[in-house]
Amino acid sequence: CHTKDFPRRESGSICSVREERDGSFTILCFTDPPPQTQPPSDFWEVLLRWQRIWMWDNLQWVGDDDWLSESIADGTCVAVTDGSYMKDLYPQVHSAAVVIECTRGRGRLWCSFPEVSKSACSYRGELVGLMAIHLLLLAINEVNPGLEGSVHIYSDCLGALQKVKNLSTSRIPTGLAHSDVLKNIMANCGKISFARYYSHVKAHQDDHT
């Protein structure tokens, strides 16, 4: 219970009640509390719990088990992503590739994956790559709660980079293009405990055509 005069008390049993005409309450049924979940023991366990294995099918990890958290803590972690889209060949498929590594050579991880979508385009591919980076960082944060430090994130898509960098912390309009990707980042990755910095890389194949 919780009122202005009494602090919240976490006790008792979970139940459904019905208010009667005289102001009293009748208990309709009880239910068991949700099972307590154990904190994840490692990065891979977090990914398995999420059950979005198709994104991490070919994820490669080089280095010891703690290199990523150590690199973030030292501010030597760099993450890079790039999207790809070939409309003439695969009009409903785009893909993204991600590399995260320590600039001091502690380790590296990388992966790539396609996404089938009616909204497929180059821009969405870039956004999905940025989403993948944030989810991977969230996974390491769940294993290391309260982890401090920073990650520098690079992309050659300035529009996607600015959109993620300036993402709202409370609401994504449903009419916004690719709002599902942006909501995923906002809802799940907004409370990552370490800092993220964003930089644009001028890396298109041809700036004029």
Side-chain angles (χ1 to χ4, degrees), residues 77-81 98-101 133 137 151-155 197:
C77 185
V78 173
V80 183
T81 180
V98 169
V99 179
I100 302 177
E101 69 174 21
I133 285 178
L137 296 178
V151 176
H152 206 140
I153 299 172
Y154 293 87
S155 168
Y197 302 103

Side-chain angles (χ1 to χ4, degrees), residues 53-181:
I53 305 304
W54 63 273
M55 290 183 68
W56 324 119
D57 264 346
N58 64 356
L59 193 151
Q60 303 292 314
W61 177 291
V62 173
D64 63 32
D65 292 344
D66 298 322
W67 78 262
L68 183 50
S69 58
E70 292 173 356
S71 179
I72 292 170
D74 287 348
T76 58
C77 185
V78 173
V80 183
T81 180
D82 196 13
S84 180
Y85 179 58
M86 294 181 286
K87 183 177 181 179
D88 293 340
L89 294 177
Y90 307 104
Q92 292 191 332
V93 180
H94 51 250
S95 61
V98 169
V99 179
I100 302 177
E101 69 174 21
C102 175
T103 58
R104 291 185 182 172
R106 287 187 180 95
R108 171 187 288 186
L109 71 81
W110 66 94
C111 67
S112 60
F113 56 88
E115 182 193 34
V116 179
S117 171
K118 293 180 179 179
S119 302
C121 64
S122 296
Y123 179 64
R124 184 177 174 90
E126 304 284 358
L127 279 178
V128 168
L130 288 167
M131 179 185 72
I133 285 178
H134 284 77
L135 290 175
L136 291 168
L137 296 178
L138 175 63
I140 206 68
N141 204 177
E142 289 198 8
V143 181
N144 301 271
L147 178 63
E148 296 183 352
S150 64
V151 176
H152 206 140
I153 299 172
Y154 293 87
S155 168
D156 67 354
C157 182
L158 185 59
L161 204 63
Q162 290 295 333
K163 182 66 71 174
V164 172
K165 178 181 178 180
N166 301 309
L167 199 59
S168 168
T169 59
S170 58
R171 180 178 178 272
I172 302 294
T174 54
L176 189 66
H178 315 295
S179 61
D180 57 327
V181 177

